[in-house]
Amino acid sequence: MSTTRTTEHHPAETSAPEVHAEAHPGTGGNDEFMERADRFRRELLAHCYRMSGSAHDAEDLVQETYLRAWRAYGKFEDRSSMRTWLYRIATNVCLTALEGRARRPLPTGLGQPSSDPDTPLSEPTEVPWLSPLPDSMGGSAPEDAAERHESVHLAFIAALQHLPPRQRAALVLRDVLQWRAAEVAEAVGTSTAAVNSALQRARASVKAAQLERDTTPETLDPEQEALLERYVQAFWEKDVDALVGMFTDRAIWEMPPFPEWYTGPASIARLIGTKCPGQAHEMIMMPTSANGQPAFGLYMKEPDGTFVPFHLQVLTLAEQQVSHVGAFFDPTLFTLCGLPERLPAGSTGPVVHVPAPQNPAP
């Protein structure tokens, strides 16, 4: 936590213009294509997010997917479903974009030990960090399969970043989308035997990387809702002692683009108490949800009395405590989450209504 407010944004390298409403040779035109294809946009965005680890990049990758699909629609003969066809294109768009690109870690994924909260923070780094996916972008209807709920959790996305892109694609297509190994092989351009071998390695790597953090429930119970209300109140009052009791013994706090991370309630509380520039009644938390998890946009009071975005917190819960907080210093995430760009002078906290996390797209 720092007085530095980072606004850096790393756009994808594969951005594409919107598909224009003009007739396409050999098809019923753009209207027919979009009528059939556009209903898959949200789940394709979740797919591209799993592959890229960036909500901003995922938007660009989906746009490139639709541009390629529109250009090829005249040759699409319905030998597979539109959904499967689009996923194949999206997967290859992602694989092309990821060639030679560094993985997107969280600070805990850099291999360095946890930090001392009394040590000064490093300067923000140029690492292309993993970022959250607002549920408003990649969420889906409540009736979607519950077993897919964890497929965009931060811990799972962070674990995927440990994999080479083709292993990442194979694991997502096979274990999240439940494709057959032969279908995966066709999509990524390899053999079924190679897919099965890659899957074995990928599953082992993901299991090791996820540790014990992927525990946020699909729905919050009344005790967890009350916990989050107390959490918001504690930030409004800057009640560090109250925060200590809300974290698990092995809780983790990390905050890209700063490379440090902290573990344990005492260290996290001291970090907030000594490094956070906000004082009592200077921090308002606005509720949202991201990665199928509860999230809050923290606004910091300015000298003129208004409140501006400071960081977006994505929380992982373990029963009635917080086990992980990713605090992302990227104001553009507020816009993606549908949160206000600024709160007027005289605003007060806390905001006590905590929305349930939305189910992620399949």
Side-chain angles (χ1 to χ4, degrees):
M1 207 163 295
S2 167
T3 56
T4 302
R5 292 175 183 149
T6 302
T7 59
E8 181 181 5
H9 164 45
H10 301 277
E13 297 172 4
T14 56
S15 59
E18 292 290 334
V19 175
H20 298 291
E22 59 188 55
H24 188 281
T27 75
N30 185 58
D31 289 345
E32 176 188 309
F33 169 75
M34 292 309 299
E35 181 180 353
R36 297 188 65 187
D38 201 48
R39 62 193 179 100
F40 302 109
R41 184 178 293 271
R42 285 169 64 84
E43 62 179 275
L44 287 170
L45 191 140
H47 178 63
C48 291
Y49 172 69
R50 295 184 192 102
M51 291 292 296
S52 67
S54 165
H56 294 295
D57 284 7
E59 286 187 305
D60 292 340
L61 292 166
V62 168
Q63 186 58 31
E64 175 69 11
T65 295
Y66 274 81
L67 184 61
R68 290 192 192 182
W70 175 73
R71 287 170 174 167
Y73 187 53
K75 298 178 181 178
F76 177 59
E77 299 175 349
D78 288 296
R79 287 177 292 183
S80 64
S81 70
M82 172 68 78
R83 181 175 184 264
T84 298
W85 182 63
L86 289 171
Y87 266 101
R88 286 175 181 162
I89 296 172
T91 299
N92 282 283
V93 166
C94 292
L95 290 174
T96 299
L98 291 170
E99 288 179 2
R101 186 183 295 186
R103 67 187 180 93
R104 288 183 172 271
L106 289 173
T108 47
L110 296 179
Q112 62 187 27
S114 60
S115 303
D116 182 342
D118 293 324
T119 301
L121 287 171
S122 304
E123 288 296 315
T125 68
E126 298 296 324
V127 172
W129 296 103
L130 176 69
S131 67
L133 177 70
D135 286 355
S136 58
M137 295 175 63
S140 62
E143 61 268 20
D144 284 333
E147 62 268 20
R148 291 172 177 164
H149 176 68
E150 296 181 355
S151 66
V152 292
H153 276 189
L154 271 180
F156 180 67
I157 303 302
L160 287 177
Q161 292 297 306
H162 289 264
L163 305 178
R166 288 189 178 275
Q167 281 190 28
R168 200 180 306 171
L171 183 74
V172 169
L173 293 173
R174 185 73 179 88
D175 287 0
V176 175
L177 299 179
Q178 303 295 307
W179 285 21
R180 298 190 305 272
E183 293 175 311
V184 176
E186 181 179 355
V188 301
T190 188
S191 67
T192 301
V195 165
N196 288 329
S197 177
L199 279 170
Q200 186 176 8
R201 297 192 302 274
R203 287 166 177 163
S205 296
V206 167
K207 184 177 180 180
Q210 281 191 269
L211 304 176
E212 299 177 2
R213 285 171 21 201
D214 207 5
T215 55
T216 295
E218 185 176 353
T219 57
L220 303 179
D221 60 34
E223 290 79 9
Q224 290 166 330
E225 292 178 356
L227 165 70
L228 295 179
E229 291 175 5
R230 294 195 306 274
Y231 185 83
V232 169
Q233 178 72 42
F235 270 91
W236 174 244
E237 300 292 346
K238 201 172 184 179
D239 188 343
V240 175
D241 291 337
L243 285 170
V244 170
M246 299 183 197
F247 290 100
T248 65
D249 291 341
R250 300 174 62 184
I252 290 173
W253 179 287
E254 50 192 331
M255 45 189 189
F258 300 96
E260 289 85 6
W261 61 281
Y262 306 86
T263 184
S267 291
I268 294 171
R270 183 157 183 80
L271 173 76
I272 295 169
T274 61
K275 299 293 194 301
C276 179
Q279 301 304 314
H281 301 175
E282 292 183 351
M283 294 178 286
I284 292 179
M285 304 270 273
M286 294 288 289
T288 183
S289 59
N291 295 81
Q293 301 173 222
F296 296 93
L298 190 153
Y299 292 79
M300 193 70 70
K301 191 173 186 178
E302 293 281 277
D304 65 359
T306 62
F307 292 80
V308 298
F310 188 61
H311 63 222
L312 182 80
Q313 294 186 23
V314 181
L315 278 61
T316 303
L317 304 184
E319 297 182 352
Q320 280 75 52
Q321 290 181 295
V322 178
S323 62
H324 181 267
V325 176
F328 297 88
F329 284 79
D330 181 356
T332 65
L333 294 171
F334 283 63
T335 302
L336 293 182
C337 286
L339 294 172
E341 295 182 1
R342 180 181 294 264
L343 301 179
S347 298
T348 59
V351 178
V352 296
H353 174 65
V354 180
Q358 300 177 30
N359 287 338

